[in-house]
Amino acid sequence: MEFRIDSGLLTEAVAWAARVLPARSPVPVLGGLLLEAADGRLRVSGLDYEASARIEVDADTLRDGRALVLGRRLLDICKVLPAGTAGCAVEGARLSVTGGDARFGLSLLPLDDHPAPPALPALRGTVDADAFAAAVGHVAVAAGRDDALPVLTGIRLGLDGTTMTLAATDRYRYAVRTLEWQPEEAPGAEAADVVVPARRLTEIARSLAGAGPLRLALDQGSIGFESGGMRTTTRLLDGRLPRHDKLFALGEHAVAVTGRAPLVEAVKRVAVVAEGDSPVQLTFDATGVHLQAGYEDDIASQRLPATLTGAESLTVAFNPGYLLDALSSFEATELRLRLLGPGQRALITDGEGGTHRHLLMSVKPLV
């Protein structure tokens, strides 16, 4: 195998495929990237037991062939290659990589020991890559971090007609985002409801942002995405997330409306005196919203414009970290806070019929 390629393009391709490689593995070949050169194209593939990634780019292929090398070592080499054309060739038991006056050698790993990459599941439809990446980012903040409850570390992906629903919860908060997508078949086709590891899905969405139309593939055990020369798959999590429908049905409640950016900055400002999980308190009334944090002499406060309907005044308090995660995940200029009262559920939305909703449990207000 021998090919020539722009060093920047090679670095991008290797970095994209290397995302799925395990940081440590008892099986050395799983740390390998497979390079395949043929017909003016270079294919770079990586996988572990949970995910796979493959990318194809243009290259000047002088000699067709395949080579398996340690992926992270190859990436380190690519990052220090001089700008310009890079050359790669199999020479005996190693892969030589050259760029300018620099030359590197990498030991080849046994091709026969490398698992075959998984096939892409059945194609289900197409979604805009930028819209999908934004939606995943909106809900990922609410995904759990405790591996003792694996399903809560995932993001629910539901497909129903032309609507895609993404949702995540760690039991203390619940984020939901809906967006339009184009199913492969006519509306009314078979629905789907699966849970994808949040970390993997976030990485995939970010790496494919800007790719234009993104094809989504799905079967009983895995999900895949493909756009241009990029293809990636990941295993699904077992189980289902708790349904959000009843949680989000608040019944009679008050509604506060305020600017998102000023509220984010105010929460950050007053939270500097909030020790540990000490809450940030928000008191809404006819004059606006008054934020307060801290106890006794160590306190901070700020007032912002806001409107309140459904009550003359209302005080709620939140864990400052959870509140900031929720507020920062929105992009709207104004936010609506639907409030039941202290110690009860609060629903933040990006409008009257918003596509982005985030549920938080309020805590005991400051004394």
Side-chain angles (χ1 to χ4, degrees):
M1 181 189 74
E2 184 176 2
F3 63 89
R4 298 186 185 281
I5 187 173
D6 178 79
S7 61
L9 183 58
L10 177 63
T11 303
E12 291 176 4
V14 170
W16 195 85
R19 294 176 306 105
V20 301
L21 297 181
R24 296 182 181 85
S25 174
V27 185
V29 293
L30 287 183
L33 283 181
L34 179 62
L35 309 179
E36 301 174 277
D39 303 322
R41 301 284 286 175
L42 171 66
R43 176 186 296 175
V44 186
S45 307
L47 77 163
D48 66 6
Y49 290 119
E50 302 296 327
S52 72
R54 191 189 80 184
I55 183 169
E56 289 188 15
V57 294
D58 291 329
D60 181 12
T61 53
L62 306 177
R63 180 160 40 100
D64 294 356
R66 307 163 73 228
L68 182 68
V69 296
L70 284 173
R72 299 193 185 279
R73 179 65 56 81
L74 177 59
L75 179 57
D76 288 341
I77 290 172
C78 289
K79 288 178 178 179
V80 297
L81 285 173
T85 301
C88 297
V90 172
E91 298 175 349
R94 71 178 184 182
L95 175 74
S96 70
V97 183
T98 60
D101 296 328
R103 182 180 180 87
F104 303 86
L106 273 175
S107 299
L108 297 178
L109 299 174
L111 282 167
D112 293 342
D113 294 343
H114 195 248
L120 195 70
L123 183 65
R124 295 297 298 269
T126 305
V127 64
D128 179 77
D130 283 337
F132 181 72
V136 170
H138 292 161
V139 303
V141 296
R145 309 291 192 271
D146 186 357
D147 290 332
L149 296 169
V151 70
L152 294 185
T153 66
I155 291 176
R156 175 192 171 222
L157 190 150
L159 304 175
D160 187 5
T162 60
T163 300
M164 175 186 293
T165 301
L166 298 170
T169 180
D170 61 2
R171 295 182 300 178
Y172 304 104
R173 45 192 172 166
Y174 206 135
V176 176
R177 177 74 160 80
T178 57
L179 67 158
E180 293 295 312
W181 86 303
Q182 182 58 54
E184 183 71 6
E185 301 178 18
E190 182 182 358
D193 192 342
V194 299
V195 181
V196 189
R199 183 178 65 83
R200 293 284 192 190
L201 189 60
T202 301
E203 289 178 350
I204 290 170
R206 286 175 178 171
S207 70
L208 292 172
L214 180 62
R215 292 178 290 279
L216 184 152
L218 186 65
D219 61 21
Q220 293 298 317
S222 64
I223 189 169
F225 300 89
E226 184 177 42
S227 183
M230 296 176 286
R231 171 185 293 187
T232 185
T233 66
T234 190
R235 289 183 182 272
L236 301 174
L237 293 173
D238 293 329
R240 293 286 183 268
L241 293 187
R243 302 293 297 188
H244 64 272
D245 310 71
K246 292 184 179 180
L247 288 172
F248 283 30
L250 300 185
E252 186 176 350
H253 60 275
V255 178
V257 179
T258 188
R260 182 191 62 83
L263 183 58
V264 168
E265 291 304 313
V267 172
K268 289 180 180 178
R269 190 169 292 118
V270 302
V272 298
V273 300
E275 296 183 3
D277 293 331
S278 173
V280 170
Q281 178 175 290
L282 290 77
T283 299
F284 294 92
D285 56 29
T287 64
V289 56
H290 180 249
L291 289 83
Q292 182 178 341
Y295 295 99
E296 298 180 349
D297 293 330
D298 297 323
I299 60 171
S301 65
Q302 184 173 346
R303 181 171 291 278
L304 295 174
T307 62
L308 178 68
T309 57
E312 291 186 2
S313 65
L314 192 148
T315 298
V316 288
F318 300 98
N319 174 296
Y322 288 175
L323 180 58
L324 277 174
D325 282 347
L327 298 176
S328 300
S329 70
F330 284 85
E331 299 174 359
T333 303
E334 281 192 339
L335 296 180
R336 300 173 66 89
L337 286 77
R338 306 184 182 199
L339 307 170
L340 290 174
Q344 301 188 62
R345 304 189 307 279
L347 184 63
I348 306 172
T349 68
D350 57 357
E352 181 63 39
T355 59
H356 182 189
R357 295 170 289 169
H358 196 117
L359 188 77
L360 283 176
M361 283 301 298
S362 60
V363 298
K364 183 179 178 181
L366 300 171
V367 177

